[in-house]
Amino acid sequence: MSAVAPQPASPLLLSSQEILQDIFGYQQFRQGQQAVIEAITTGNDCLVIMPTGGGKSLCYQIPALMLSGLTLVISPLISLMKDQVDQLNANGVSAGCIHSAMSREEIQATFDAMQKGELQLVYASPERVLMRDFLERLQQLDLAMVAVDEAHCVSQWGHDFRPEYAALGVLKQQFSPLPVMALTATADDATRHDIVSRLGLNDPHCYLGSFDRPNIRYTLWEKHQPQQQLQQYLATVRGQCGIIYCNSRKKVEQISEKLCHSGIRAAAYHAGMEHQQRVAVQDGFQRDDIHVVVATVAFGMGINKPNVRFVVHFDIPRNIESYYQETGRAGRDGLPAEALLLYDPADLAWLRRCVDEKSDEAQRDVELHKLHAMGAFAQAQSCRRQVLLHYFGEELHQGCGNCDVCLDPPQQFDAVEAAQKALSCVYRVNQNFGITYVVDVLRGMQNQRIREYGHDKLTTYGIGREYSHEYWVSILRQLIHRGFLTQNISRNSVLQLTQQARPLLRAEMALSLAVPRLDSAVRSSKVDRMANRQYDKKLFAKLRKLRKAIADEEDLPPYVVFNDASLMEMAERLPSSKGDFLAINGVGQRKLDKFGVVFLQLIGDHLIAIDEQN
């Protein structure tokens, strides 16, 4: 028996707009959400690329409430499943999950609820879904759709490839024409094509959202006294919630211990800790009992905490996808947030040695390409947001004004001639070589490889010998970031010209680039506090205190009650009636019924106290 193909939503069911407002408490869709929902509810496969905090979950949660039958959500982490289920249940949606931390009785109870049609969504890991008994149970159910979250794990080109994810294409084979939605925040072009192929998506509706998170400020400090620099930074964000990422367990434990001794409510998190210890740290962070988590990348995808105000990378990550995903855990509520990277070229060299030791040559090449791109981001002379967005195939044609390079810009120069030399050299070597080789040709280096290819006879050989290797690497990287060159990951990162390079080669356009900074001087960077908004800050503090008390009583993370953005809007708009309260973003009917009276009472009492003082 095969699964029943989904039918368009019944007229008796709520519309997507009604579900958005009445259940989730939002007044309008974000860009791309409604088109994705319409595509999946009419039986089409979908590929959804949205940034962290961009609203991916609603793209499958709303259709799950529109369609008859069960929606299966494939998710990689227990914490992520539990968090999603808690939030859905808090909004009155019947959802469950199946994972290894549950007892046999709990798992059987969930299976029974699935069989009886009592659940609208069920979350499970790819390993669980691929078990024979699980697939047999699915055959007996009325499946509406399947959502594959963190879909970049499907792809060999992704930064977190997992073989069990790659096997999920069996679902499309066994349950066709069941619609499948693949979702991720981080996927370059090669990864996107691989996802579609491996999952067997049939002519999917593709939504590629902007990767831009304008509320996050990207800042790099060059390491010189990292412990002291970290303490200096944390003094500016004291009392706010944040994450500090390190590349080793030893550093995690050392730093967390020092922070605790300095009076910061911090805790360590890494894969070497006991399971219950990790659960306790994550729960404490979710509930605002712990302000700062110092962690390895083991502390990751399950973090759906909206009020993380800063993410610090004590060490450089292995790739831009990880950096983007980890920094994206800051500012999910849309409020100002900060991403600080402490950079030492020696850290990059250490990571390169680690990658070089891998035995799988194809995977090693992919990881090296990604590591080089991360190094280029750290060494960028142009807007960091431009570099980040370009990596994902999105162009930003002017500086963002919210990164350290934009706020403390390097000196600019007329770069047309330098760019023409570099682009011409890429062209003359037939677009078949990477950055290092092109620079060697530009500088007229005498080495055997250049002679073997006959490139010492080219007109571009040695035309840039007056400048250093580092100078030309900087120029080429800036040309990549600005969209004149691209690096082909599937061909060992060779440089290739884009259409945009033609007018530059013909001197038909002007171009300014940053004068390469070739020294290791520490860049100063001013860290701003959270931007001021016109809201009652005393009331906001009272609302947070009330939220924490309710959350503790309900045994929930505080943001499941309301997130900071909702509380800030309450303190700004001062709702005085149920209708006013329902108009606050994040307040749905269920939360109005459950929490409206006490929050309205607190706001009213606060306003009375102000009147009496006046």
Side-chain angles (χ1 to χ4, degrees), residues 430-594:
N430 297 317
Q431 304 181 75
N432 281 330
F433 296 88
I435 288 180
T436 300
Y437 185 86
V438 170
V439 170
D440 284 349
V441 174
L442 275 167
R443 299 185 64 233
M445 303 302 290
Q446 295 287 336
N447 64 51
Q448 184 176 350
R449 193 178 180 208
I450 289 176
R451 288 195 296 271
E452 285 176 353
Y453 282 111
H455 290 158
D456 54 338
K457 305 295 192 296
L458 295 177
T459 56
T460 53
Y461 178 74
I463 59 172
R465 57 169 48 94
E466 70 272 28
Y467 294 114
S468 69
H469 176 89
E470 292 75 18
Y471 177 92
W472 283 114
V473 167
S474 174
I475 296 299
L476 284 164
R477 282 176 174 158
Q478 291 186 67
L479 292 173
I480 292 168
H481 304 154
R482 297 286 289 271
F484 298 103
L485 287 170
T486 186
Q487 289 176 291
N488 190 331
I489 184 175
S490 61
R491 291 188 53 209
N492 300 314
S493 305
V494 302
L495 292 175
Q496 296 177 330
L497 303 176
T498 67
Q499 290 296 319
Q500 195 175 328
R502 290 186 177 186
L504 184 54
L505 281 166
R506 296 171 182 156
E508 295 172 355
M509 62 177 289
L511 177 68
S512 292
L513 294 178
V515 174
R517 286 174 170 168
L518 306 179
D519 57 37
S520 57
V522 177
R523 299 177 192 169
S524 63
S525 177
K526 181 182 178 181
V527 179
D528 293 341
R529 300 298 294 269
M530 190 189 306
N532 288 325
R533 281 177 53 173
Q534 298 302 312
Y535 66 96
D536 188 324
K537 294 176 178 59
K538 289 185 178 178
L539 175 57
F540 178 69
K542 291 179 182 178
L543 292 169
R544 289 190 68 186
K545 188 175 181 181
L546 173 61
R547 176 185 66 179
K548 184 71 169 73
I550 292 172
D552 288 347
E553 188 176 336
E554 297 272 340
D555 195 26
L556 291 170
Y559 63 81
V560 172
V561 180
F562 293 117
N563 62 34
D564 276 8
S566 296
L567 297 187
M568 196 171 288
E569 192 174 337
M570 293 176 200
E572 193 172 27
R573 297 174 61 177
L574 306 175
S576 58
S577 68
K578 289 186 176 181
D580 292 344
F581 197 68
L582 196 58
I584 299 292
N585 271 299
V587 180
Q589 189 62 48
R590 174 72 176 259
K591 289 190 177 180
L592 170 67
D593 295 341
K594 197 168 185 180

Side-chain angles (χ1 to χ4, degrees), residues 113-129:
M114 290 165 60
Q115 190 70 43
K116 294 174 184 176
E118 295 173 354
L119 295 177
Q120 293 163 294
L121 298 99
V122 166
Y123 288 74
S125 69
E127 296 89 347
R128 174 75 61 173
V129 169

